[in-house]
Amino acid sequence: MYEEQQTEQLIMDAIKNDWVEVYYQPIYSIKEQKFTCAEALIRIRNGMGKIISPGAFVDVAESNGMIIRLGEKVFEKVCCFLQEHHPEELGLHYIEVNLSVVQCDYEHLAESFIRIMEAHQINPEWINLEITESASGDRKKNFTDNMKNLMDYGITFSLDDFGTGQSNLNYIVEMPVDIVKFDRSMTAAYFANGKAKYVMDAAMHMIQGLKLQIVSEGIETRKQFETMRDLGINYIQGYYFSEPLPMGAFLQFLDRKNK
Ligand code: C2E
Ligand code: MG
Ligand code: MG
């Protein structure tokens, strides 16, 4: 309980003092042979200047609802970034932003995100929102309305965390997503265990049949990269290319690599 209170205090301080930071992890396009997008990942820089990863606070922020404010902060920062550095000039097509189940279920999500995009003159094609399968769980109504309103506005979606929990192949057929992200655990299983190969091959076959793009997450070695490339995966994300980077380092990375 004490730890949870500490975390809750950290989140409140982060919102109040603007301690929320966004790191960007570059994503490599096999087809274009450059980094064409990136995933925005939240960090909190605490009062001592220490960077804290989402694993330490996202669960608490979801259970007390503060993820809605945190998520707006992240989205606002991404929009500021896109307004200042037009993505085309960086060689990027879009930035992926994570949405938690709680945000998806928040009745004013679409309204709030559209207001932020308008304030920063953001082309909706510059944004891709990552959702997870659990987002469409029990209380479907708000989720469906949010997704529809955001899609009508021009935003695209990815299905994150594919291969964790009870991934349901059928779910991909029903969800209007453009991209499926294979979780790191799925990539790891592919290399660790012969049977997992068949699951991955079958999933890939189906996803490609639906004309969706696939991102492989958690690629750490050259061998993993080459294997995924040869399998026909479209995009690669992982430490092999880069860890998530603070904005300045991310810009330098693109400047070096996308030239
Ligand atoms: P995710 O969306 O699946 O993000 C990928 C995570 O994998 C990131 O962890 C990233 O740093 C890590 N990763 C990427 N490549 C590698 C690799 O090669 N090896 C290893 N070991 N790890 C790799 P991170 O940044 O700690 O984020 C963890 C999770 O927190 C995210 O998983 C996402 O579910 C959540 N999250 C992050 N930012 C946000 C946000 O702004 N809003 C919400 N609602 N959730 C967020
Ligand atoms: Mg994600
Ligand atoms: Mg993921």
Side-chain angles (χ1 to χ4, degrees):
M1 250 178 79
Y2 176 72
E3 235 178 67
E4 194 169 320
Q5 273 172 15
Q6 296 279 92
T7 308
E8 210 166 287
Q9 190 60 50
L10 171 76
I11 300 168
M12 286 193 298
D13 289 344
I15 292 170
K16 193 172 83 208
N17 303 322
D18 196 24
W19 288 347
V20 174
E21 292 192 15
V22 176
Y23 278 35
Y24 295 89
Q25 187 173 33
I27 300 176
Y28 183 81
S29 158
I30 305 257
K31 185 166 154 216
E32 296 189 46
Q33 296 187 20
K34 62 186 190 106
F35 297 87
T36 56
C37 46
E39 177 171 1
L41 294 156
I42 190 171
R43 301 288 182 266
I44 290 178
R45 184 184 294 274
N46 74 7
M48 324 263 271
K50 185 169 175 261
I51 289 289
I52 302 166
S53 284
F57 59 85
V58 161
D59 285 353
V60 173
E62 284 183 335
S63 60
N64 66 17
M66 287 180 196
I67 192 72
I68 291 175
R69 272 306 287 143
L70 284 182
E72 280 171 356
K73 288 249 171 210
V74 168
F75 194 65
E76 201 148 10
K77 289 192 186 239
V78 170
C79 288
C80 278
F81 171 78
L82 290 169
Q83 183 177 26
E84 191 177 344
H85 307 275
H86 275 211
E88 305 91 65
E89 286 160 27
L90 305 173
L92 298 178
H93 301 318
Y94 54 86
I95 300 284
E96 296 176 1
V97 180
N98 288 282
L99 282 187
S100 104
V101 189
V102 178
Q103 290 171 278
C104 293
D105 196 38
Y106 169 53
E107 63 171 317
H108 302 298
L109 175 85
E111 189 185 314
S112 147
F113 273 32
I114 290 171
R115 185 180 45 75
I116 295 171
M117 284 189 288
E118 281 179 348
H120 293 277
Q121 296 150 330
I122 299 303
N123 179 343
E125 289 174 10
W126 298 344
I127 305 280
N128 177 280
L129 295 177
E130 294 188 4
I131 55 168
T132 57
E133 189 173 337
S134 42
S136 69
D138 311 330
R139 296 154 296 177
K140 253 190 152 164
K141 175 83 170 78
N142 285 345
F143 170 72
T144 319
D145 288 352
N146 279 326
M147 206 166 163
K148 181 177 182 308
N149 291 338
L150 289 164
M151 282 178 64
D152 286 350
Y153 191 75
I155 284 187
T156 57
F157 285 83
S158 294
L159 180 66
D160 200 4
D161 297 346
F162 184 79
T164 62
Q166 329 86 327
S167 305
N168 180 350
L169 286 179
N170 204 23
Y171 186 81
I172 300 179
V173 180
E174 287 167 12
M175 290 307 294
V177 295
D178 292 306
I179 301 170
V180 177
K181 300 193 75 172
F182 282 2
D183 188 75
R184 181 157 61 90
S185 59
M186 186 152 163
T187 324
Y190 185 88
F191 289 99
N193 146 8
K195 281 191 198 161
K197 281 197 169 63
Y198 295 103
V199 179
M200 177 106 131
D201 288 341
M204 277 195 59
H205 197 74
M206 193 194 92
I207 295 167
Q208 287 168 337
L210 291 167
K211 305 263 188 293
L212 306 180
Q213 303 283 300
I214 304 175
V215 181
S216 225
E217 288 191 287
I219 299 302
E220 296 185 350
T221 65
R222 172 149 203 104
K223 177 164 180 285
Q224 290 178 341
F225 164 68
E226 287 170 352
T227 310
M228 291 300 130
R229 180 196 59 199
D230 297 345
L231 270 175
I233 297 277
N234 309 94
Y235 297 94
I236 304 288
Q237 178 178 358
Y239 295 170
Y240 172 61
F241 285 119
S242 172
E243 292 184 6
L245 301 168
M247 189 176 82
F250 174 58
L251 287 169
Q252 284 171 9
F253 178 95
L254 292 177
D255 197 46
R256 271 200 323 275
K257 305 279 181 174
N258 269 0
K259 281 272 156 75

